[in-house]
Amino acid sequence: MNQKVKKILQCGFPTFGVLTALIEQLVLPDNALHPVPQRHYYNYLLIILLGITVVLWGISLFVTEFKERLSQKGAFFFGSGILVAVLNLLTAKLALLPVIFFPSFDNILAVFLEQTPLLLKCIGFSFRLLILGVFWGTLAGFITGVFLGFSKKVYYWINPYIKLIGPIPATAWIPLVLTTFPTPLGASIFIIALSVWFPVQLMTSSGIQNTSKVYFEVGRTLGAGTFFQIFRIAVPAALPNIFQGVFNGICAAFIALMTAEMFGAKYGIGWYISYQKAMMMYSGVYAGLIMIAVFCTVIITLLFQIRKKVLGWQKGTVRW
C-alpha cells in the first residue's frame, strides 16, 4: 500500500468509527430493561456525525493541509467511535451494567433536547457565578502576588499567614461562609474567588521574585519609579507564571463552583446534578457532567487563545 492510499484511508477512519457505532445501534435491539425513549436521538446524532465525517473525508481529498491534519487524528476518532459502540453495547444493548446508574445514550440525549430551557438557565447561572468568582479571585490574587513578589517587607509579614491559609481547600470554608454571607449567591462567589486567589497570587509572586534583578537595577539607574518597575518590568516578566496561576485557578474554580451550587443554590449545573441524583434520574446526572466537560473545555480553550496572543514568543511551550 503506497503512502497516498494510506493517507486517504487514515482520513476515512472517523467515518469508519461512526459507521461501526451506527451499524451496532441499528442491528442490535435495545434491552427491555432500559426505558423506551420517545425518539431515537442517538440514531439521529450518529447519522449527522456520519454525514459530517463523510464531508470532511471528501474535503481531505482536495486540500493537502487538511488531509495531513485529519490523517493524524483519524485513528483517535476511529478509536472513539469503537469506545462509544462498546459503551452502548454494555448499557443499552446487553444491560450488563446497572440500568438505573448507566442509562442508554438515547435517554441521556433526551435530557438535552427535552429540558433545554432549564439547562440553558443552569448554564447561565453557573457562568455568572464563575465569571464573578474568577474575576474577583484573579484580581485579589494578582494584587496580593505583586505586593508579595515586589516588597520584602510585605513578604516577611504576610507570607506566613498565606502559607497557613492558602492550602486549605476553598470548599472546606463552605459551612462558615454560608453563615457569614447574607445570600447564597455572595457565598458562592466568595468560595470560587478564594479557590482562584491562592494559585494566582502564588504564581504571580513567584514570577516576580524570579525576575532577574539586573532588570530592576537598570530601571532604577535610568530613573524608573516603583510603578514603572512593577508594571513595565516585573509584571511582563511574570506573565507566563501569572497565566499558569490563572489556569490552575480556573480548574479549582470549577470544583468550587460545582460544590457551592449544591448548597443553597436555586439553579446551576452543580445544583442540576445534585437534583437529578436526588431524584434518581442518572440520565440527567450524565447530561450535567457532559455540560461541565464542555463548559470547562471552552473556557480553558479561550484562555489559551488569549495567552497565545499575549505571549506569542512562548508559542508551543504550553499546549492544550
Side-chain angles (χ1 to χ4, degrees), residues 24 39 58 71 92 143 166 200 212 221 241 255 280 285 307 315:
E24 177 204 59
R39 296 180 181 177
S71 63
I143 293 173
V200 172
S212 176
T221 302
N241 294 70
I255 298 174
M280 298 296 289
V285 173
R307 184 188 187 279
K315 184 177 180 181

Side-chain angles (χ1 to χ4, degrees), residues 304 307-319:
F304 262 89
R307 184 188 187 279
K308 188 185 297 184
K309 295 291 183 182
V310 177
L311 301 176
W313 52 276
Q314 274 207 331
K315 184 177 180 181
T317 57
V318 181
R319 295 183 179 180

Side-chain angles (χ1 to χ4, degrees), residues 49 90 96 110 123 133 150 186 210 224 248 254 257-258 280 297 300:
L49 290 177
L90 295 175
L96 295 179
I123 292 173
F150 195 78
N210 291 330
N248 294 336
F254 271 98
L257 172 67
M258 296 302 111
M280 298 296 289
T297 300
I300 297 296

